[in-house]
Short mmCIF file of all heavy atoms in Angstrom, two decimals:
data_model
loop_
_atom_site.label_atom_id
_atom_site.label_comp_id
_atom_site.label_asym_id
_atom_site.label_seq_id
_atom_site.Cartn_x
_atom_site.Cartn_y
_atom_site.Cartn_z
N TYR B 69 128.05 103.62 76.75
CA TYR B 69 127.87 104.20 75.41
C TYR B 69 128.44 103.24 74.37
O TYR B 69 129.43 102.56 74.61
CB TYR B 69 128.58 105.56 75.30
CG TYR B 69 128.46 106.16 73.92
CD1 TYR B 69 127.31 106.87 73.57
CD2 TYR B 69 129.45 105.95 72.96
CE1 TYR B 69 127.17 107.39 72.29
CE2 TYR B 69 129.31 106.46 71.67
CZ TYR B 69 128.17 107.18 71.33
OH TYR B 69 128.01 107.67 70.06
N LEU B 78 123.91 108.96 56.48
CA LEU B 78 122.61 108.35 56.83
C LEU B 78 122.10 108.90 58.17
O LEU B 78 122.88 109.40 58.98
CB LEU B 78 122.76 106.83 56.94
CG LEU B 78 122.86 106.05 55.62
CD1 LEU B 78 123.14 104.58 55.90
CD2 LEU B 78 121.56 106.21 54.81
N PRO B 79 120.79 108.83 58.40
CA PRO B 79 120.28 109.32 59.68
C PRO B 79 120.78 108.46 60.86
O PRO B 79 121.18 107.31 60.66
CB PRO B 79 118.77 109.21 59.54
CG PRO B 79 118.54 108.22 58.46
CD PRO B 79 119.72 108.33 57.54
N THR B 80 120.76 109.07 62.05
CA THR B 80 121.25 108.39 63.25
C THR B 80 120.16 108.33 64.31
O THR B 80 119.53 109.35 64.61
CB THR B 80 122.48 109.13 63.81
OG1 THR B 80 123.48 109.17 62.78
CG2 THR B 80 123.03 108.44 65.05
N VAL B 81 119.98 107.16 64.87
CA VAL B 81 119.00 106.97 65.95
C VAL B 81 119.78 106.79 67.26
O VAL B 81 120.68 105.95 67.33
CB VAL B 81 118.11 105.74 65.70
CG1 VAL B 81 117.17 105.50 66.88
CG2 VAL B 81 117.31 105.92 64.41
N LEU B 82 119.43 107.59 68.28
CA LEU B 82 120.05 107.45 69.59
C LEU B 82 119.10 106.63 70.48
O LEU B 82 118.01 107.07 70.80
CB LEU B 82 120.31 108.83 70.21
CG LEU B 82 120.86 108.87 71.65
CD1 LEU B 82 122.19 108.13 71.77
CD2 LEU B 82 121.02 110.33 72.11
N VAL B 83 119.54 105.43 70.82
CA VAL B 83 118.71 104.56 71.67
C VAL B 83 119.08 104.82 73.13
O VAL B 83 120.25 104.74 73.51
CB VAL B 83 118.93 103.07 71.33
CG1 VAL B 83 118.20 102.18 72.34
CG2 VAL B 83 118.49 102.78 69.91
N TYR B 84 118.07 105.16 73.93
CA TYR B 84 118.30 105.38 75.35
C TYR B 84 117.62 104.27 76.15
O TYR B 84 116.52 103.81 75.79
CB TYR B 84 117.73 106.75 75.78
CG TYR B 84 117.59 106.89 77.28
CD1 TYR B 84 118.66 107.33 78.06
CD2 TYR B 84 116.39 106.56 77.91
CE1 TYR B 84 118.53 107.43 79.45
CE2 TYR B 84 116.25 106.66 79.29
CZ TYR B 84 117.33 107.09 80.05
OH TYR B 84 117.19 107.18 81.42
N ASN B 143 122.48 104.72 61.08
CA ASN B 143 123.45 104.68 62.17
C ASN B 143 122.70 104.54 63.51
O ASN B 143 121.59 105.05 63.66
CB ASN B 143 124.28 105.96 62.19
CG ASN B 143 124.95 106.20 60.85
OD1 ASN B 143 125.55 105.29 60.28
ND2 ASN B 143 124.82 107.42 60.32
N ILE B 144 123.33 103.86 64.44
CA ILE B 144 122.70 103.71 65.75
C ILE B 144 123.70 104.05 66.85
O ILE B 144 124.88 103.70 66.77
CB ILE B 144 122.19 102.26 65.96
CG1 ILE B 144 121.14 101.90 64.91
CG2 ILE B 144 121.59 102.11 67.37
CD1 ILE B 144 120.44 100.57 65.14
N LYS B 145 123.24 104.81 67.84
CA LYS B 145 124.05 105.08 69.03
C LYS B 145 123.27 104.58 70.25
O LYS B 145 122.04 104.68 70.29
CB LYS B 145 124.32 106.58 69.16
CG LYS B 145 125.20 107.13 68.04
CD LYS B 145 125.41 108.63 68.12
CE LYS B 145 126.41 109.08 67.06
NZ LYS B 145 126.60 110.55 67.07
N PHE B 146 123.99 104.04 71.21
CA PHE B 146 123.35 103.55 72.44
C PHE B 146 123.83 104.36 73.64
O PHE B 146 125.03 104.62 73.78
CB PHE B 146 123.73 102.08 72.71
CG PHE B 146 123.01 101.10 71.84
CD1 PHE B 146 123.59 100.65 70.65
CD2 PHE B 146 121.76 100.62 72.20
CE1 PHE B 146 122.92 99.74 69.85
CE2 PHE B 146 121.10 99.69 71.40
CZ PHE B 146 121.68 99.25 70.21
N MET B 147 122.93 104.78 74.47
CA MET B 147 123.29 105.41 75.73
C MET B 147 122.42 104.75 76.80
O MET B 147 121.22 105.03 76.92
CB MET B 147 123.02 106.92 75.67
CG MET B 147 123.32 107.63 76.98
SD MET B 147 123.33 109.44 76.79
CE MET B 147 121.62 109.73 76.34
N ILE B 163 125.36 114.44 79.03
CA ILE B 163 124.84 114.90 77.74
C ILE B 163 125.46 116.24 77.37
O ILE B 163 125.92 116.45 76.23
CB ILE B 163 123.30 115.00 77.78
CG1 ILE B 163 122.70 113.59 77.84
CG2 ILE B 163 122.76 115.76 76.59
CD1 ILE B 163 121.19 113.56 78.02
N LYS B 164 125.52 117.15 78.34
CA LYS B 164 126.11 118.47 78.07
C LYS B 164 127.55 118.36 77.62
O LYS B 164 128.02 119.13 76.78
CB LYS B 164 126.04 119.34 79.35
CG LYS B 164 124.71 120.04 79.50
CD LYS B 164 124.69 120.97 80.69
CE LYS B 164 123.24 121.24 81.09
NZ LYS B 164 123.10 121.91 82.35
N ASN B 166 128.91 115.81 76.10
CA ASN B 166 129.11 114.88 74.99
C ASN B 166 128.17 115.16 73.82
O ASN B 166 127.68 114.24 73.16
CB ASN B 166 128.94 113.43 75.46
CG ASN B 166 130.07 112.98 76.37
OD1 ASN B 166 131.11 112.53 75.90
ND2 ASN B 166 129.88 113.14 77.67
N LYS B 167 127.92 116.46 73.60
CA LYS B 167 126.94 116.80 72.57
C LYS B 167 127.35 116.30 71.19
O LYS B 167 126.51 115.85 70.41
CB LYS B 167 126.74 118.32 72.54
CG LYS B 167 125.94 118.82 73.74
CD LYS B 167 125.51 120.27 73.56
CE LYS B 167 124.72 120.71 74.79
NZ LYS B 167 124.28 122.10 74.72
N GLU B 168 128.63 116.36 70.90
CA GLU B 168 129.10 115.94 69.58
C GLU B 168 128.91 114.42 69.41
O GLU B 168 128.34 113.97 68.43
CB GLU B 168 130.57 116.35 69.40
CG GLU B 168 131.10 116.20 68.00
CD GLU B 168 130.27 116.98 66.96
OE1 GLU B 168 129.76 118.10 67.28
OE2 GLU B 168 130.09 116.46 65.85
N ARG B 169 129.36 113.69 70.42
CA ARG B 169 129.27 112.24 70.39
C ARG B 169 127.82 111.76 70.28
O ARG B 169 127.54 110.73 69.66
CB ARG B 169 129.93 111.69 71.67
CG ARG B 169 129.76 110.22 71.89
CD ARG B 169 130.91 109.51 72.57
NE ARG B 169 131.14 109.89 73.97
CZ ARG B 169 131.79 109.11 74.84
NH1 ARG B 169 132.28 107.95 74.46
NH2 ARG B 169 131.99 109.51 76.08
N LEU B 170 126.91 112.52 70.91
CA LEU B 170 125.51 112.09 70.96
C LEU B 170 124.66 112.64 69.81
O LEU B 170 123.44 112.43 69.77
CB LEU B 170 124.89 112.51 72.31
CG LEU B 170 125.53 111.89 73.55
CD1 LEU B 170 124.98 112.53 74.82
CD2 LEU B 170 125.29 110.39 73.57
N LYS B 171 125.28 113.34 68.90
CA LYS B 171 124.57 113.90 67.75
C LYS B 171 123.71 112.82 67.08
O LYS B 171 124.20 111.73 66.79
CB LYS B 171 125.58 114.44 66.75
CG LYS B 171 125.36 115.90 66.42
CD LYS B 171 126.42 116.43 65.49
CE LYS B 171 126.01 117.78 64.96
NZ LYS B 171 127.12 118.40 64.21
N ALA B 172 122.47 113.13 66.82
CA ALA B 172 121.58 112.12 66.22
C ALA B 172 120.40 112.84 65.59
O ALA B 172 120.32 114.08 65.61
CB ALA B 172 121.12 111.13 67.28
N ASP B 173 119.47 112.06 65.05
CA ASP B 173 118.28 112.67 64.44
C ASP B 173 117.04 112.46 65.28
O ASP B 173 116.06 113.19 65.14
CB ASP B 173 118.10 112.09 63.04
CG ASP B 173 119.24 112.48 62.13
OD1 ASP B 173 119.27 113.64 61.68
OD2 ASP B 173 120.16 111.65 61.95
N VAL B 174 117.08 111.47 66.13
CA VAL B 174 115.93 111.20 66.99
C VAL B 174 116.38 110.29 68.14
O VAL B 174 117.38 109.58 68.00
CB VAL B 174 114.77 110.56 66.18
CG1 VAL B 174 115.07 109.09 65.89
CG2 VAL B 174 113.42 110.69 66.91
N VAL B 175 115.64 110.35 69.24
CA VAL B 175 115.90 109.44 70.36
C VAL B 175 114.80 108.38 70.37
O VAL B 175 113.62 108.71 70.19
CB VAL B 175 115.93 110.19 71.71
CG1 VAL B 175 116.14 109.21 72.88
CG2 VAL B 175 117.02 111.26 71.73
N LEU B 176 115.20 107.14 70.58
CA LEU B 176 114.22 106.05 70.63
C LEU B 176 114.32 105.36 71.98
O LEU B 176 115.41 104.97 72.40
CB LEU B 176 114.50 105.05 69.49
CG LEU B 176 113.56 103.84 69.41
CD1 LEU B 176 112.12 104.27 69.12
CD2 LEU B 176 114.05 102.87 68.31
N ILE B 177 113.19 105.24 72.66
CA ILE B 177 113.18 104.64 74.00
C ILE B 177 112.08 103.60 74.10
O ILE B 177 110.95 103.84 73.70
CB ILE B 177 112.92 105.71 75.10
CG1 ILE B 177 113.94 106.85 75.00
CG2 ILE B 177 112.95 105.07 76.49
CD1 ILE B 177 113.73 107.94 76.03
N LEU B 194 104.43 111.85 77.96
CA LEU B 194 104.76 111.32 79.28
C LEU B 194 104.46 112.40 80.30
O LEU B 194 104.58 113.59 80.01
CB LEU B 194 106.25 111.02 79.37
CG LEU B 194 106.79 109.74 78.77
CD1 LEU B 194 108.30 109.75 78.86
CD2 LEU B 194 106.23 108.53 79.51
N PRO B 365 107.14 117.33 81.89
CA PRO B 365 106.35 116.45 81.03
C PRO B 365 106.79 116.58 79.57
O PRO B 365 107.54 117.49 79.21
CB PRO B 365 104.93 116.94 81.24
CG PRO B 365 105.06 118.34 81.73
CD PRO B 365 106.35 118.42 82.47
N TYR B 366 106.30 115.68 78.76
CA TYR B 366 106.73 115.65 77.36
C TYR B 366 105.58 115.22 76.46
O TYR B 366 104.80 114.34 76.81
CB TYR B 366 107.89 114.65 77.21
CG TYR B 366 108.38 114.49 75.80
CD1 TYR B 366 109.12 115.52 75.18
CD2 TYR B 366 108.09 113.35 75.07
CE1 TYR B 366 109.55 115.38 73.88
CE2 TYR B 366 108.53 113.20 73.77
CZ TYR B 366 109.26 114.23 73.18
OH TYR B 366 109.69 114.11 71.88
N VAL B 367 105.50 115.87 75.32
CA VAL B 367 104.50 115.47 74.32
C VAL B 367 105.23 115.09 73.04
O VAL B 367 106.05 115.86 72.55
CB VAL B 367 103.49 116.60 74.05
CG1 VAL B 367 102.52 116.19 72.94
CG2 VAL B 367 102.72 116.94 75.32
N THR B 368 104.95 113.90 72.56
CA THR B 368 105.59 113.44 71.32
C THR B 368 104.99 114.19 70.13
O THR B 368 103.77 114.31 70.03
CB THR B 368 105.30 111.94 71.12
OG1 THR B 368 105.60 111.25 72.32
CG2 THR B 368 106.12 111.36 69.99
N PRO B 369 105.84 114.65 69.22
CA PRO B 369 105.29 115.30 68.02
C PRO B 369 104.77 114.21 67.06
O PRO B 369 105.56 113.49 66.46
CB PRO B 369 106.50 116.04 67.45
CG PRO B 369 107.68 115.27 67.93
CD PRO B 369 107.30 114.57 69.20
N HIS B 372 106.03 113.97 63.44
CA HIS B 372 107.46 113.74 63.19
C HIS B 372 107.61 112.45 62.38
O HIS B 372 106.87 111.50 62.60
CB HIS B 372 108.16 113.61 64.55
CG HIS B 372 109.66 113.72 64.49
ND1 HIS B 372 110.46 112.71 64.02
CD2 HIS B 372 110.50 114.72 64.84
CE1 HIS B 372 111.74 113.08 64.09
NE2 HIS B 372 111.79 114.32 64.59
N ILE B 373 108.57 112.41 61.48
CA ILE B 373 108.73 111.19 60.67
C ILE B 373 109.07 109.98 61.54
O ILE B 373 108.73 108.86 61.21
CB ILE B 373 109.78 111.34 59.53
CG1 ILE B 373 111.12 111.85 60.09
CG2 ILE B 373 109.27 112.21 58.39
CD1 ILE B 373 112.28 111.63 59.13
N ALA B 374 109.73 110.23 62.67
CA ALA B 374 110.07 109.10 63.55
C ALA B 374 108.81 108.51 64.18
O ALA B 374 108.72 107.30 64.41
CB ALA B 374 111.05 109.56 64.62
N PHE B 375 107.83 109.36 64.48
CA PHE B 375 106.57 108.84 65.01
C PHE B 375 105.87 108.00 63.94
O PHE B 375 105.34 106.93 64.21
CB PHE B 375 105.67 110.00 65.48
CG PHE B 375 104.44 109.53 66.21
CD1 PHE B 375 104.52 109.19 67.56
CD2 PHE B 375 103.22 109.39 65.55
CE1 PHE B 375 103.38 108.73 68.23
CE2 PHE B 375 102.10 108.94 66.22
CZ PHE B 375 102.17 108.61 67.57
N ILE B 399 109.76 109.95 82.29
CA ILE B 399 111.18 109.71 82.01
C ILE B 399 111.78 111.12 81.92
O ILE B 399 111.85 111.71 80.84
CB ILE B 399 111.39 108.90 80.71
CG1 ILE B 399 110.53 107.61 80.75
CG2 ILE B 399 112.86 108.53 80.54
CD1 ILE B 399 110.63 106.76 79.50
N PRO B 400 112.16 111.65 83.11
CA PRO B 400 112.49 113.07 83.17
C PRO B 400 113.52 113.51 82.14
O PRO B 400 113.51 114.65 81.69
CB PRO B 400 113.05 113.21 84.59
CG PRO B 400 112.40 112.13 85.38
CD PRO B 400 112.25 110.99 84.42
N ILE B 401 114.35 112.56 81.72
CA ILE B 401 115.44 112.92 80.85
C ILE B 401 114.97 113.30 79.44
O ILE B 401 115.67 113.98 78.70
CB ILE B 401 116.43 111.72 80.82
CG1 ILE B 401 117.82 112.20 80.54
CG2 ILE B 401 115.95 110.62 79.94
CD1 ILE B 401 118.38 113.04 81.65
N VAL B 402 113.76 112.90 79.07
CA VAL B 402 113.26 113.16 77.73
C VAL B 402 113.22 114.66 77.41
O VAL B 402 113.59 115.08 76.31
CB VAL B 402 111.86 112.50 77.54
CG1 VAL B 402 111.17 113.03 76.31
CG2 VAL B 402 112.01 110.98 77.47
N ALA B 403 112.82 115.45 78.42
CA ALA B 403 112.78 116.89 78.20
C ALA B 403 114.19 117.44 77.99
O ALA B 403 114.40 118.39 77.23
CB ALA B 403 112.11 117.58 79.38
N LEU B 404 115.16 116.81 78.66
CA LEU B 404 116.56 117.23 78.52
C LEU B 404 117.10 116.95 77.11
O LEU B 404 117.90 117.71 76.58
CB LEU B 404 117.43 116.51 79.54
CG LEU B 404 117.95 117.33 80.71
CD1 LEU B 404 118.80 116.47 81.61
CD2 LEU B 404 118.75 118.54 80.23
N PHE B 405 116.68 115.82 76.54
CA PHE B 405 117.14 115.48 75.19
C PHE B 405 116.77 116.61 74.23
O PHE B 405 117.54 116.98 73.36
CB PHE B 405 116.50 114.17 74.70
CG PHE B 405 116.98 112.95 75.44
CD1 PHE B 405 116.13 111.87 75.64
CD2 PHE B 405 118.28 112.87 75.92
CE1 PHE B 405 116.57 110.74 76.30
CE2 PHE B 405 118.72 111.73 76.60
CZ PHE B 405 117.86 110.67 76.79
N GLU B 406 115.59 117.11 74.42
CA GLU B 406 115.14 118.18 73.53
C GLU B 406 115.92 119.46 73.79
O GLU B 406 116.41 120.11 72.86
CB GLU B 406 113.64 118.43 73.76
CG GLU B 406 113.11 119.62 72.97
CD GLU B 406 111.79 119.32 72.29
OE1 GLU B 406 111.02 118.50 72.83
OE2 GLU B 406 111.53 119.89 71.20
N LYS B 407 116.09 119.77 75.09
CA LYS B 407 116.74 121.03 75.45
C LYS B 407 118.23 121.01 75.06
O LYS B 407 118.73 121.98 74.49
CB LYS B 407 116.60 121.23 76.97
CG LYS B 407 117.00 122.62 77.44
CD LYS B 407 116.82 122.78 78.94
CE LYS B 407 117.72 123.91 79.45
NZ LYS B 407 118.26 123.65 80.77
N GLU B 408 118.92 119.93 75.39
CA GLU B 408 120.37 119.91 75.21
C GLU B 408 120.80 119.44 73.82
O GLU B 408 121.79 119.91 73.29
CB GLU B 408 121.02 119.03 76.27
CG GLU B 408 120.86 119.52 77.70
CD GLU B 408 121.54 120.87 77.95
OE1 GLU B 408 122.53 121.18 77.23
OE2 GLU B 408 121.09 121.61 78.84
N LEU B 409 120.06 118.48 73.28
CA LEU B 409 120.48 117.90 72.00
C LEU B 409 119.55 118.31 70.86
O LEU B 409 119.82 118.00 69.70
CB LEU B 409 120.51 116.37 72.11
CG LEU B 409 121.45 115.78 73.17
CD1 LEU B 409 121.26 114.27 73.26
CD2 LEU B 409 122.91 116.12 72.84
N GLY B 410 118.46 119.01 71.19
CA GLY B 410 117.50 119.42 70.16
C GLY B 410 116.79 118.23 69.53
O GLY B 410 116.35 118.30 68.38
N LEU B 411 116.70 117.14 70.27
CA LEU B 411 116.13 115.91 69.69
C LEU B 411 114.74 115.58 70.23
O LEU B 411 114.49 115.69 71.42
CB LEU B 411 117.05 114.72 69.99
CG LEU B 411 118.43 114.74 69.36
CD1 LEU B 411 119.20 113.48 69.74
CD2 LEU B 411 118.32 114.85 67.84
N LYS B 412 113.89 115.16 69.35
CA LYS B 412 112.59 114.63 69.75
C LYS B 412 112.78 113.17 70.16
O LYS B 412 113.73 112.50 69.72
CB LYS B 412 111.60 114.69 68.56
CG LYS B 412 111.29 116.11 68.11
CD LYS B 412 110.51 116.86 69.15
CE LYS B 412 110.18 118.28 68.68
NZ LYS B 412 109.59 119.09 69.78
N THR B 413 111.86 112.70 70.99
CA THR B 413 111.96 111.32 71.47
C THR B 413 110.73 110.52 71.07
O THR B 413 109.61 111.03 71.15
CB THR B 413 112.10 111.32 73.00
OG1 THR B 413 113.35 111.91 73.35
CG2 THR B 413 112.06 109.90 73.56
N ILE B 414 110.96 109.30 70.64
CA ILE B 414 109.86 108.38 70.34
C ILE B 414 109.81 107.34 71.45
O ILE B 414 110.83 106.73 71.79
CB ILE B 414 110.09 107.68 68.98
CG1 ILE B 414 110.15 108.73 67.86
CG2 ILE B 414 108.98 106.65 68.71
CD1 ILE B 414 108.92 109.60 67.72
N LEU B 415 108.64 107.17 72.04
CA LEU B 415 108.45 106.25 73.15
C LEU B 415 107.73 105.01 72.64
O LEU B 415 106.52 105.00 72.49
CB LEU B 415 107.62 106.93 74.25
CG LEU B 415 108.26 108.22 74.78
CD1 LEU B 415 107.20 109.12 75.38
CD2 LEU B 415 109.35 107.91 75.78
N PHE B 447 111.46 99.88 62.69
CA PHE B 447 111.52 101.32 62.98
C PHE B 447 112.70 101.94 62.24
O PHE B 447 112.57 102.96 61.57
CB PHE B 447 111.63 101.58 64.48
CG PHE B 447 111.92 103.03 64.79
CD1 PHE B 447 110.89 103.93 64.89
CD2 PHE B 447 113.24 103.49 64.93
CE1 PHE B 447 111.15 105.28 65.12
CE2 PHE B 447 113.50 104.83 65.15
CZ PHE B 447 112.45 105.72 65.27
N PHE B 451 112.37 104.63 59.36
CA PHE B 451 112.91 105.96 59.67
C PHE B 451 113.95 106.35 58.63
O PHE B 451 113.97 107.50 58.16
CB PHE B 451 113.54 105.96 61.08
CG PHE B 451 114.07 107.31 61.50
CD1 PHE B 451 113.22 108.42 61.58
CD2 PHE B 451 115.43 107.50 61.76
CE1 PHE B 451 113.71 109.66 61.95
CE2 PHE B 451 115.92 108.75 62.13
CZ PHE B 451 115.06 109.83 62.23
N SER B 455 113.44 109.41 55.98
CA SER B 455 114.42 110.50 56.10
C SER B 455 115.00 110.91 54.76
O SER B 455 115.65 111.93 54.65
CB SER B 455 115.58 110.06 57.01
OG SER B 455 115.11 109.81 58.31
#
Side-chain angles (χ1 to χ4, degrees):
Chain B
Y69 178 82
L78 284 175
T80 302
V81 176
L82 175 59
V83 173
Y84 164 87
N143 305 312
I144 299 188
K145 294 176 174 178
F146 284 93
M147 178 168 64
I163 290 175
K164 275 185 201 169
N166 290 275
K167 287 192 181 179
E168 191 56 36
R169 172 147 67 157
L170 298 172
K171 236 177 168 172
D173 295 284
V174 75
V175 177
L176 179 64
I177 305 179
L194 280 174
Y366 178 72
V367 176
T368 310
H372 195 285
I373 52 164
F375 188 81
I399 308 178
I401 208 67
V402 166
L404 253 180
F405 291 148
E406 174 135 30
K407 192 179 157 216
E408 296 296 334
L409 300 174
L411 295 181
K412 296 292 181 189
T413 294
I414 299 301
L415 302 156
F447 170 85
F451 182 60
S455 297

